[in-house]
């Protein structure tokens, strides 16, 4: 069986068209899958993941707070860029505007300049509810229970009476000094002498009259 040359030419043309169409589809689909910037903003940090960029040119990425701190200075990367640790946001009591700038070295159409809002972090731990202070009641006095066995009290030994010193003079049984009789005798003698003198004076006066 002989196949005409026209049939071979038609089949070759059809195959060539299919290859060209497939190549064109791959080429047209490549830019859609390339240059993929992904970044996430929370109330406390920012994470950046840039993939499918050209490694033949220099690409740069910058992250900053609009009107404030620069979180990531201009950094050059190749095919990919990932933040190893999230970029920490400064403490804030109102929303912050975060800006991402990606400059692709293979065309301005692949560059990005985007902004996102960082909300205020809410404290996850609720504040404790104040409790009313109750008046302190005095502790109830407890009556001590009688001991089963009486406690032993140490009896103090009365001190022994001091013995009189052998050199001290003996005292009378009445407790008075031994010089008391002598003083009493001298007083009686003085009284008798005075009475005698008074008697002689009266006698002389009566004799003169």
């Amino acid at each position: 069986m002989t196949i005409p040359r026209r049939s071979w030419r038609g089949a070759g043309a059809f195959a060539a068209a299919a290859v060209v169409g497939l190549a064109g589809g791959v080429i047209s689909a490549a830019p859609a899958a390339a240059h993929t910037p992904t970044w996430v903003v929370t109330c406390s940090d920012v994470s950046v993941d840039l993939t499918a960029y050209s490694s033949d040119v220099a690409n740069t990425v910058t992250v900053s707070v609009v009107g404030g701190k620069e979180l990531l200075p201009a950094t050059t990367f190749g095919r990919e860029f990932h933040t190893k640790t999230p970029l920490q946001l400064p403490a804030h009591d109102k929303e912050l505007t975060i800006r991402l700038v990606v400059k692709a070295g293979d065309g301005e159409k692949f560059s990005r300049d985007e902004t996102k809002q960082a909300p205020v972090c809410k404290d996850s731990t609720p504040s404790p509810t104040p409790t009313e202070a109750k008046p302190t009641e005095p502790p109830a006095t407890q009556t001590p229970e009688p001991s089963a066995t009486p406690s032993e009290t140490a009896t103090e030994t009365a001190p022994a009476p001091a013995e009189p010193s052998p050199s001290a003079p003996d005292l009378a049984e009445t407790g008075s000094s031994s010089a008391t009789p002598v003083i009493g005798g001298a007083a009686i003698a003085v009284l008798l002498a005075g009475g005698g003198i008074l008697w002689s004076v009266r006698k002389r006066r009566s004799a003169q009259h």
Side-chain angles (χ1 to χ4, degrees):
M1 179 178 180
T2 304
I3 300 175
R5 289 184 176 180
R6 290 183 178 181
S7 299
W8 284 107
R9 290 178 180 177
F14 178 78
V19 170
V20 171
L22 180 61
V26 171
I27 293 172
S28 61
H35 305 84
T36 308
T38 303
W39 62 305
V40 179
V41 178
T42 67
C43 69
S44 59
D45 52 50
V46 179
S47 299
V48 179
D49 294 296
L50 307 177
T51 59
Y53 280 78
S54 175
S55 58
D56 298 331
V57 294
N59 309 298
T60 60
V61 55
T62 306
V63 181
S64 61
V65 178
V66 175
K69 179 180 179 181
E70 189 175 46
L71 303 177
L72 178 67
T75 304
T76 303
F77 67 98
R79 182 175 179 79
E80 296 182 355
F81 174 83
H82 307 279
T83 50
K84 296 181 180 179
T85 57
L87 306 174
Q88 298 298 315
L89 294 176
H92 54 283
D93 55 2
K94 61 181 180 180
E95 286 190 350
L96 298 178
T97 302
I98 311 303
R99 182 184 180 189
L100 171 72
V101 177
V102 180
K103 292 184 178 180
D106 56 348
E108 192 65 27
K109 61 182 178 179
F110 300 120
S111 299
R112 293 292 183 90
D113 189 345
E114 301 176 355
T115 58
K116 290 185 179 182
Q117 300 298 318
V120 178
C121 292
K122 296 182 180 179
D123 190 3
S124 58
T125 57
S127 58
T129 305
T131 56
E132 297 181 358
K134 296 182 179 180
T136 306
E137 297 180 357
T141 56
Q142 298 180 354
T143 305
E145 297 181 358
S147 176
T149 57
S151 60
E152 296 180 358
T153 55
T155 57
E156 297 181 358
T157 306
E163 296 181 359
S165 175
S167 60
D170 295 336
L171 299 177
E173 294 181 359
T174 57
S176 59
S177 175
S178 59
T180 302
V182 178
I183 297 173
I188 294 174
V190 172
L191 290 176
L192 291 176
I197 294 171
L198 183 58
W199 180 75
S200 61
V201 171
R202 287 182 178 180
K203 187 174 180 183
R204 286 179 182 179
R205 287 181 179 180
S206 59
Q208 290 178 1
H209 292 290

